[in-house]
Amino acid sequence: MNRSFKGIWIPKEIWLSKELSLQEKIFIVEIDSLEDHVKGGCYAGNKYFSDFFGLSESRVSDIIKTLVDKNMITRKVVRTQNGSIRYLNISHYLKTAIAHSQNLAVRTSQIQDPRSAKSDNIIIHSNNTSFNKREKSKRINANPRKK
C-alpha cells in the first residue's frame, strides 16, 4: 500500500483529547497517513489494520465505528462491479481544528521570532543591549573593544 509517511506525529487536538482512547488516537494518525485524496480517502481494509496493529478484525471494526460515531472520521462505501470499497477520511471538524492550531502556532512563532516580524518597531536584543529599530542612532556599543 502506498503511503505518505509523515513520521510519528500526533496533533495536539488528538493527543490531548479526553474523549479518545490511545488506540483511537493512533488509528486517526494511521488513517490520515494513508489518505489518498486522488482515490477518495484511506481505502485500507480491516485486515490491513488488523495486521498493522496486531488486533482482531472485529476490534478494528469496533474502533472505526466508534471514531465514526464520535465524528472524528467519516466512512463512505462505494459499490463497484467487483464489490465495494470503503473509504475513511479524517472528519472536516478535526482537520479544521488541526489546521487552526497549526496556523495559530505559525503566527505565534512569527511574533516571538524578531527575524520574521514585519514591524519596524520591534525590540531587538543584541550583544546584551536592547534598542528600538527606530532609535538606531542612540544605540550603545555593548562591547567597548569594537568600534
Side-chain angles (χ1 to χ4, degrees):
M1 181 161 290
N2 206 0
R3 70 176 344 173
S4 95
F5 190 67
K6 301 171 186 169
I8 301 173
W9 180 76
I10 302 175
K12 73 178 183 177
E13 290 75 19
I14 295 170
W15 186 248
L16 298 176
S17 174
K18 301 264 189 227
E19 67 180 287
L20 295 170
S21 71
L22 184 57
Q23 281 183 332
E24 291 167 342
K25 292 172 184 182
I26 300 301
F27 259 78
I28 290 170
V29 171
E30 183 64 8
I31 291 167
D32 184 46
S33 77
L34 293 172
E35 268 188 307
D36 184 336
H37 298 290
V38 174
K39 293 190 178 195
C42 168
Y43 56 91
N46 289 359
K47 174 83 171 114
Y48 168 82
F49 289 116
S50 173
D51 293 342
F52 186 79
F53 290 118
L55 301 169
S56 70
E57 286 187 52
S58 63
R59 179 66 185 133
V60 167
S61 180
D62 290 342
I63 293 170
I64 290 172
K65 181 183 181 325
T66 302
L67 289 172
V68 169
D69 291 345
K70 291 179 178 181
N71 293 319
M72 297 295 164
I73 64 172
T74 60
R75 174 179 45 202
K76 179 174 73 174
V77 178
V78 176
R79 306 275 180 223
T80 66
Q81 292 176 345
N82 301 331
S84 60
I85 301 173
R86 177 193 67 195
Y87 292 100
L88 302 173
N89 290 286
I90 304 304
S91 73
H92 179 71
Y93 157 78
L94 191 55
K95 282 185 180 182
T96 301
I98 293 167
H100 174 71
S101 172
Q102 289 171 340
N103 288 341
L104 185 61
V106 168
R107 286 194 306 263
T108 303
S109 69
Q110 287 176 346
I111 290 168
Q112 292 173 349
D113 184 359
R115 293 170 294 182
S116 63
K118 294 189 167 101
S119 169
D120 283 341
N121 204 20
I122 192 161
I123 302 298
I124 297 176
H125 300 280
S126 176
N127 293 332
N128 297 326
T129 303
S130 296
F131 63 95
N132 189 308
K133 273 187 169 181
R134 293 180 193 237
E135 298 177 334
K136 287 181 184 176
S137 61
K138 297 179 186 177
R139 184 168 52 184
I140 298 171
N141 187 351
N143 189 346
R145 289 185 229 170
K146 291 185 177 178
K147 292 189 179 187

